[in-house]
Structure formats: C-alpha cells, structure tokens
Amino acid sequence: MENCITYFLRDESKNSNEYYRCISNFSNEVIEKIEIEANNIIENFINFIKNNSIEELRSREEYELEFLIIGVLWKTYIAKALNADRLSLNLLKLLFNLRTNRNF
C-alpha cells in the first residue's frame, strides 16, 4: 500500500526526521535571504500600509511570506500574463475594481 501515496518523506530512513531537518534548514536559509535581500522593500511596504491605514499591521514574517509568494507567482506566470488576451485582462480589471470598491 505504501506505493500508492503521492510522496514518501522517509526515503531510505526509518522515519521522516531527516526530511524535516532538511526542510527546516532550507526554510531558515530562505528566510535569511529574504531578510537580507528584501529588507528595505518589506520595510517600505509595512510603512506604506501603516501610513495609509490600509489594514491592521500583520507580523513581519507574514509580509516576508507574501513577498516570497508574489515572487514565485511572478516568475511562474509573468510570460502568460504579458500574452493574455483583452477579454482576460478586462475580466481581471473588473475583479480588481470590485475588490477595491468592496462591491462584492
């Protein structure tokens, strides 16, 4: 039955401890890199939110995660976005306006 699962965290080990140690180290490296490379961007964004009363401030880590997600999505989908047809762009614009005006 173990062959039917979509992933297997144990690899050749008796348990998944090595996987979690490895992913923890990787996560720490990513967080450190974001803190070094994007510190000013995130700090400016937090200040913008605070100065314009856009939302109640969240933790810095949440903004760092948001920064990472936006970067991954940008890298993954920017080519498709640049080649989107007019109907798709107009639909996205409409959805953005509805959300911005909170008319949904």
Side-chain angles (χ1 to χ4, degrees):
M1 189 66 168
E2 286 186 13
N3 294 337
C4 295
I5 62 174
T6 53
Y7 57 89
F8 194 63
L9 301 180
R10 291 188 316 200
D11 197 22
E12 303 294 324
S13 306
K14 292 182 181 179
N15 57 45
S16 57
N17 292 348
E18 177 61 23
Y19 167 80
Y20 286 108
R21 187 192 62 71
C22 181
I23 201 69
S24 177
N25 289 340
F26 174 74
S27 299
N28 290 337
E29 288 177 28
V30 170
I31 291 167
E32 184 179 323
K33 189 155 180 94
I34 289 172
E35 289 173 350
I36 292 169
E37 307 255 342
N39 182 54
N40 291 341
I41 295 169
I42 293 169
E43 198 62 41
N44 290 341
F45 186 62
I46 290 171
N47 288 331
F48 174 80
I49 289 170
K50 185 175 17 177
N51 295 337
N52 293 284
S53 303
I54 293 177
E55 66 181 23
E56 189 173 321
L57 285 180
R58 295 177 273 140
S59 71
R60 182 177 179 86
E61 290 80 11
E62 286 181 79
Y63 293 114
E64 290 172 352
L65 176 61
E66 217 169 64
F67 181 82
L68 176 63
I69 291 169
I70 289 169
V72 169
L73 292 174
W74 181 276
K75 183 173 176 140
T76 303
Y77 295 109
I78 188 60
K80 289 182 182 182
L82 291 173
N83 293 317
D85 58 52
R86 181 160 299 285
L87 177 63
S88 297
L89 294 174
N90 286 336
L91 178 60
L92 288 172
K93 188 175 177 182
L94 172 68
L95 292 172
F96 173 79
N97 288 333
L98 286 172
R99 184 183 188 289
T100 302
N101 298 327
R102 292 169 172 46
N103 292 330
F104 59 94

